[in-house]
Amino acid sequence: MTESWIERFPDLAALPPAERAALVARAAVVSLPEGSVIFAPGKEAENFLLVLEGRVRVQQVSASGREIVLYRVSGGEACIMTTSCLLSHEAYAAEGLAETAIRAVAIPRATFQDMLGSSPDFRRIVFSGYSNRISDLMHVVEEVAFQRLDKRLAQRLLALAGPGGDVATTHQELAAELGTAREVVGRQLKELERRGWVALSRGQVRLSDRASLEALAQAE
Amino acid sequence: MTESWIERFPDLAALPPAERAALVARAAVVSLPEGSVIFAPGKEAENFLLVLEGRVRVQQVSASGREIVLYRVSGGEACIMTTSCLLSHEAYAAEGLAETAIRAVAIPRATFQDMLGSSPDFRRIVFSGYSNRISDLMHVVEEVAFQRLDKRLAQRLLALAGPGGDVATTHQELAAELGTAREVVGRQLKELERRGWVALSRGQVRLSDRASLEALAQAE
DNA sequence: TGCTGTCTGTGACATTGTCACAGAGTCGTG
DNA sequence: CACGACTCTGTGACAATGTCACAGACAGCA
C-alpha cells in the first residue's frame, strides 16, 4: 500500500531504488474532505503537496468580496502554491479549496529540499508545475483583460458541464469563476436562454445548444 | 573581469570554488541594445538569463492588438520565462522587451540543468524568480479584475515617474501598461488634470500633486 | 402553514470599452 | 517658409460591464 501512490508519478516511480524508498518512507498520504481549505492567505505551508485524486480550486478574493478562479489542480499534479510558500515564504492573496475529496502526498519541507537536489525527475515535476501555473495565470490575465464576458461564460459553461450537458451551479458561483458580479452573469445567461442555447432553472444551467456555445466560446 | 558579474549574485558568489569556477567558465555575459526582443511567442530560448543591468518588460499582446504589461525584470533577477521554455517547451503568449540596454549572463541549457542539481543556492535563485513572477501575475489579475482604472492609473504614474515628477510617455503607452484603451487613459488623465493633480503635455505627464495621487492609488 | 435563508430578476445609474472621426504638434524636405 | 507625413491627442455616440438597492421566487424546516 505504501508503494501504490508513487505509481501515479511515473517519473518518481522510476527513481533509483534508494531515493524512491526514501521518498516513500518520508512522505505521507493524506486525505482531506471536500471543502477543506488547503492553503489561505497568511497560512504558511509545511508540506509540499502532490495531488493524487480529487481537484483543488485556487482562487483570489478581493477586498470587496468578489472572487475569481485562477486555476485548478487535478490528480497527478503538484500544488505549487504550497511550494512557493515553502521556498520563499511569500504570502499569496490566494486560497486553495478542495472541490472534491482529496487524496494527496504530503512531503515534508526537508525531504522536499533533498529531493530537489538529488532527483532531476523530481525537479522536472516541480518546475513543470510552476510552468503550468504561470501559463494558467497568463491565460487568466488575457481573458480578464481582453475577452468579452459572453465568450468567457460560454467557455466556462462548456468546461463545467457534465456529460449530460448540465451545470449544477448558481449564478453567484459562475460569477466567481469569471471574476464578475452575479447580476452580470444573470443577464448574460438570460440572453443565452433567449437565443435558445441554454435552459435555466434554480441552481442549474442546461446546455441545449452546445454547437452554438462552442462557436461563441471560440469567437474572436 | 570574468569574475565580476558573479558578485551581483551573492548566493552564487558563495558557491564552492569548483562550482563557481565552472559556472563562470561556461556562462557568457551578453549585451543587448534597448528595444531588443528577449523572447517572443514561438521563439524558443536556448539560454537561461540572469539580468545584470537594465530592465526587461514582459507583456502580453491580444489578438485585437491591445497590450498589457505583466511585470518587469531588473538587475539581479532571473528571467524565468526563458527558464520555462528551457524546461517544459511551452509556448507563452508573452514577449520580453529590453526597456533599456541590457547586460545579462547567459547560461547554456546543459549548465543550467547541472547547476540546478548541484547548487541549492542556484535553485533558490531560480525558484524565487518563479515565485516572484507568480506573485506579480496574481497581482495583475487582481488589479485588472477588481480595481478601478483611476486608481491603477495613479499607481502606474507614481511608479513610472522620475524623481522630478515627470512621466515621459504617451497615452497609448500608459494604456498598454494597464491593458486598456488609449481613449480611456486620455479621459482619466483629463479628469486628473481637472483636479489639478497632473499637468499634461504632448508625450509627458507631470505629477503636480503627488500626495493626492498617492491617496488615490491607495484608495480601496 | 408560516418563517428563514438562498437564489434569481430588475431598473437606474456609473464606469469602462469601441468606433469613427477630427484637430493639433513634430519633423523632414523642397 | 510651405508642405506633406506622421504621431499624438480630443471628442461624441454608443455598447458592454459593474454597482446598488431592491423585490420576488423557491426550498427546507419548525
Side-chain angles (χ1 to χ4, degrees):
Chain A
M1 201 55 182
T2 46
E3 294 245 66
S4 66
W5 69 262
I6 208 170
E7 305 301 336
R8 303 268 315 207
F9 296 87
D11 288 342
L12 295 182
L15 284 174
E19 287 180 10
R20 176 180 160 149
L23 181 57
V24 170
R26 292 195 274 172
V29 175
V30 298
S31 292
L32 297 167
E34 180 180 339
S36 308
V37 176
I38 313 284
F39 58 91
K43 210 177 108 185
E44 199 154 319
E46 282 308 305
N47 295 289
F48 173 71
L49 279 189
L50 289 175
V51 177
L52 294 172
E53 265 148 49
R55 202 169 59 239
V56 177
R57 184 176 74 220
V58 178
Q59 61 191 358
Q60 212 174 19
V61 184
S62 82
S64 60
R66 258 170 58 196
E67 301 178 5
I68 184 168
V69 174
L70 298 174
Y71 57 83
R72 291 179 161 85
V73 182
S74 308
E77 295 183 298
C79 181
I80 57 85
M81 275 297 175
T82 55
T83 318
S84 284
C85 298
L86 250 57
L87 288 159
S88 72
H89 307 282
E90 257 208 84
Y92 288 134
E95 64 176 6
L97 286 174
E99 278 196 314
T100 66
I102 301 283
R103 279 211 322 140
V105 183
I107 301 176
R109 188 189 212 99
T111 306
F112 175 74
Q113 296 276 12
D114 291 348
M115 293 293 300
L116 269 187
S118 62
S119 164
D121 291 321
F122 190 79
R123 283 202 297 275
R124 186 159 48 242
I125 288 179
V126 174
F127 273 113
S128 91
Y130 264 107
S131 214
N132 290 337
R133 287 331 140 213
I134 287 189
S135 188
D136 292 341
L137 286 174
M138 298 209 353
H139 197 241
V140 173
V141 171
E142 201 256 332
E143 285 203 336
V144 173
F146 303 132
Q147 300 302 324
R148 292 179 52 94
L149 200 58
D150 51 0
K151 173 180 172 178
R152 295 173 56 210
L153 177 57
Q155 289 172 345
R156 285 297 168 129
L157 288 174
L158 289 164
L160 294 171
D166 286 344
V167 187
T169 184
T170 66
H171 297 184
Q172 178 59 62
E173 284 179 72
L174 285 171
E177 291 280 337
L178 301 169
T180 183
R182 176 189 61 78
E183 300 92 312
V184 178
V185 168
R187 285 194 281 255
Q188 298 281 351
L189 285 172
K190 217 61 180 161
E191 170 62 18
L192 294 181
E193 186 180 44
R194 197 192 57 75
R195 297 188 203 167
W197 298 356
V198 304
L200 302 177
S201 53
R202 185 185 172 96
Q204 194 193 53
V205 181
R206 173 181 301 265
L207 311 192
S208 36
D209 184 349
R210 261 181 200 259
S212 295
L213 289 171
E214 269 156 16
L216 175 55
Q218 280 157 27
E220 280 198 49
Chain B
M1 199 56 179
T2 46
E3 296 246 66
S4 65
W5 69 262
I6 208 170
E7 304 301 334
R8 305 267 315 207
F9 297 88
D11 288 342
L12 295 183
L15 284 175
E19 286 180 11
R20 176 179 159 149
L23 181 56
V24 169
R26 291 197 274 172
V29 175
V30 298
S31 291
L32 297 167
E34 179 179 341
S36 309
V37 176
I38 313 283
F39 59 90
K43 209 178 108 185
E44 199 154 318
E46 283 307 307
N47 294 290
F48 173 71
L49 280 190
L50 289 175
V51 177
L52 294 172
E53 266 148 48
R55 203 169 58 240
V56 177
R57 184 176 75 222
V58 178
Q59 60 192 358
Q60 212 174 20
V61 184
S62 82
S64 60
R66 259 171 55 197
E67 300 178 4
I68 185 167
V69 174
L70 298 174
Y71 56 82
R72 290 178 162 88
V73 182
S74 308
E77 294 183 300
C79 181
I80 56 85
M81 275 297 174
T82 56
T83 318
S84 284
C85 297
L86 251 58
L87 288 158
S88 72
H89 308 281
E90 256 208 84
Y92 289 135
E95 63 177 6
L97 286 175
E99 278 197 313
T100 66
I102 300 283
R103 279 209 325 138
V105 183
I107 301 175
R109 190 191 211 96
T111 307
F112 176 74
Q113 296 275 9
D114 291 349
M115 292 294 301
L116 270 186
S118 61
S119 164
D121 290 321
F122 190 78
R123 282 202 298 278
R124 184 159 48 242
I125 288 179
V126 174
F127 273 113
S128 91
Y130 264 107
S131 215
N132 290 337
R133 286 333 138 209
I134 287 189
S135 187
D136 292 340
L137 286 174
M138 297 208 356
H139 196 241
V140 173
V141 170
E142 201 256 333
E143 284 202 336
V144 173
F146 303 132
Q147 300 302 324
R148 292 180 52 93
L149 201 57
D150 52 359
K151 172 179 172 178
R152 294 174 56 212
L153 177 57
Q155 289 172 344
R156 285 298 169 128
L157 288 174
L158 290 165
L160 295 172
D166 286 344
V167 187
T169 183
T170 66
H171 297 183
Q172 178 59 61
E173 284 180 73
L174 285 170
E177 292 280 335
L178 301 169
T180 183
R182 176 189 60 80
E183 300 92 313
V184 179
V185 168
R187 285 195 281 256
Q188 297 282 350
L189 286 173
K190 218 60 182 159
E191 171 61 18
L192 294 181
E193 185 179 45
R194 197 192 58 74
R195 297 188 203 167
W197 298 356
V198 303
L200 302 177
S201 52
R202 186 185 172 95
Q204 193 194 55
V205 181
R206 174 182 300 265
L207 312 192
S208 37
D209 185 348
R210 260 180 200 263
S212 295
L213 288 171
E214 268 158 16
L216 175 55
Q218 281 157 26
E220 279 197 52

